[in-house]
Amino acid sequence: MTAPKKKKFYAYFVAPNTTGVTAQWAVCEAMVSGKSGARFKAFERRDDAEAWLAGGAQYEPRAARPRLPLARGIYFDAGTGRGEGVEISVTDEHGKNLLHKTLLRAELNRFGKHRIGDARATNNYGELLALKHALAIAKAEGMPRVFGDSRLVIDFWSRWRIKRGELPAATVALADEVSRLRDEFERGGGVVERIAGDRNPADLGFHR
């Protein structure tokens, strides 16, 4: 029997003085997406979320810890950390940018990432688009492993499992395209795997 999924509470801060706590990720994402300097954090208890906000909504520096070497592969992510809309990132295991292999240089920003021009694009759509490029690069490079930290995209949207009647047509069309690419990739022996966000060398922050 599968254990019930633990409920999470998402605290968000949007300058200068908009804060809140919600149990719905979609609400939190809508509040922080595209907002410069916005911050959010997930908690298992509401009072902990409220205490974080009361303390200034500051991120704690991550404690230094030994890092195991990452497996060779193609890594992808999406995020809104720079406050200019959703960006996508594809790198190798060392964090070296790879999007220039599938996009024109003019389509990349000075960080080697691609910003999605549509202001309506969500972070989840960005993760899906990033996986599309990661699969294309992996195929071209003969790399059999692709890694990302989005459970939604890896376990559902790229496996033909999407709520077609509840999402924009563009998202559904992209999910179908990525699912076909993934099927082809896996038939050739490729594997798409999840990795923790804090270990993802393509990390852009502000992911779920």
Side-chain angles (χ1 to χ4, degrees), residues 10-103:
Y10 301 94
Y12 57 84
F13 166 85
V14 182
N17 55 11
T18 299
T19 64
V21 176
T22 176
Q24 301 297 320
W25 163 246
V27 173
C28 179
E29 182 181 40
M31 292 298 300
V32 302
S33 181
K35 310 290 177 53
S36 179
R39 298 189 290 275
F40 71 90
K41 191 172 181 180
F43 297 87
E44 293 185 1
R45 302 195 316 168
R46 177 179 285 275
D47 55 353
D48 289 337
E50 292 172 346
W52 181 71
L53 291 174
Q58 297 297 318
Y59 292 128
E60 302 85 0
R62 291 173 179 163
R65 59 180 179 180
R67 293 275 182 168
L68 296 175
L70 292 170
R72 288 189 68 235
I74 308 298
Y75 293 77
F76 71 93
D77 191 38
T80 59
R82 273 183 271 274
E84 299 176 348
V86 178
E87 294 181 28
I88 65 172
S89 170
V90 180
T91 75
D92 65 10
E93 66 274 15
H94 303 296
K96 180 180 178 182
N97 289 317
L98 299 175
L99 277 173
H100 62 277
K101 295 180 179 291
T102 55
L103 292 171

Side-chain angles (χ1 to χ4, degrees), residues 170-188:
T171 300
V172 174
L174 180 59
D176 286 347
E177 181 183 3
V178 174
S179 294
R180 285 192 293 269
L181 291 172
R182 181 173 180 176
D183 282 353
E184 179 183 348
F185 181 65
E186 292 180 334
R187 282 196 300 269

Side-chain angles (χ1 to χ4, degrees), residues 84-151:
E84 299 176 348
V86 178
E87 294 181 28
I88 65 172
S89 170
V90 180
T91 75
D92 65 10
E93 66 274 15
H94 303 296
K96 180 180 178 182
N97 289 317
L98 299 175
L99 277 173
H100 62 277
K101 295 180 179 291
T102 55
L103 292 171
L104 298 175
R105 294 281 184 178
E107 297 178 281
L108 306 178
N109 61 23
R110 62 191 179 94
F111 304 103
K113 315 302 182 183
H114 171 67
R115 183 173 69 84
I116 301 173
D118 189 345
R120 297 168 298 178
T122 65
N123 192 73
N124 289 329
Y125 179 91
E127 294 275 4
L128 190 61
L129 183 62
L131 176 54
K132 172 186 171 180
H133 287 283
L135 289 168
I137 293 169
K139 179 180 178 181
E141 299 287 311
M143 187 67 64
R145 300 178 76 182
V146 169
F147 300 88
D149 54 53
S150 171
R151 178 177 181 272

